[in-house]
Amino acid sequence: YMQPGGVTNIKPDPSTAKLPVILKRSELISPQLVHGKVEGENMELVSISGGKLTYQNLKGYDWNDKTHAFWSEGKPGDKMVLRFVSEAEGQFHLSARLTTAPDYGKVKMKLNGQPVAISFDGYEEKTKVKMLYLGNFSIRKGENLLEVEITDARPNEKKTAYFGLDYLRVH
């Protein structure tokens, strides 16, 4: 910023001005599966039918890289789809490191359209993370989709639920 009449020592740089502008989060932060893991906050949001997805980075919690993907204000029946990319394809075991807290709801999940056999109840009296084995799934080379659906909310004035994903482990 400069006052009117000011002078700068920076010369015009047309080559830099021609570089493409990043328009999507995935162009800056890769949703790539790396060493068998993809961080929740690195996954790309494909769709969300209610509530909002943000990324919490708070001290005092045991999230990997101190951050997790945080879905708030969702209601029963709302769905969110997250995308990640894999270089390998095949049958793999899938686990999720998920956040629990007093205001977190119950969810069911699908990977590439295949339902996870168990649902997840995110309720705990104190906020913490839990590793949950989801089962054996077919992982595609390229795009893979994780669908999360809220099935039940905690009794609160808004009838909403929270969901937190620290990371997915593919092994």
Side-chain angles (χ1 to χ4, degrees), residues 60-133:
Y61 297 99
D62 192 28
W63 299 314
N64 194 55
D65 292 341
K66 298 187 180 13
T67 306
H68 77 150
F70 177 61
W71 182 14
S72 62
E73 300 175 23
K75 294 187 169 149
D78 285 343
K79 294 179 184 177
M80 174 178 66
V81 178
L82 299 172
R83 173 185 171 271
F84 69 94
V85 177
S86 175
E87 290 292 320
E89 66 180 324
Q91 288 295 122
F92 294 93
H93 295 283
L94 185 70
S95 299
R97 193 163 190 244
L98 304 167
T99 305
T100 62
D103 45 6
Y104 280 46
K106 292 180 183 177
V107 299
K108 63 181 180 180
M109 294 176 267
K110 292 180 183 177
L111 182 70
N112 296 329
Q114 182 183 347
V116 172
I118 58 171
S119 63
F120 175 70
D121 186 350
Y123 174 80
E124 284 284 340
E125 286 188 24
K126 294 190 178 201
T127 302
K128 56 185 174 182
V129 291
K130 280 188 174 179
M131 192 62 130
L132 180 69
Y133 178 71

Side-chain angles (χ1 to χ4, degrees), residues 28-78:
L28 180 62
I29 299 173
S30 173
Q32 185 76 34
L33 186 64
V34 178
H35 302 297
K37 183 168 73 171
V38 61
E39 298 289 337
E41 64 271 15
N42 292 356
M43 296 175 77
E44 181 180 6
L45 178 64
V46 174
S47 64
I48 190 166
S49 65
K52 61 185 176 184
L53 180 66
T54 57
Y55 308 97
Q56 283 188 321
N57 183 307
L58 304 170
K59 292 182 180 179
Y61 297 99
D62 192 28
W63 299 314
N64 194 55
D65 292 341
K66 298 187 180 13
T67 306
H68 77 150
F70 177 61
W71 182 14
S72 62
E73 300 175 23
K75 294 187 169 149
D78 285 343

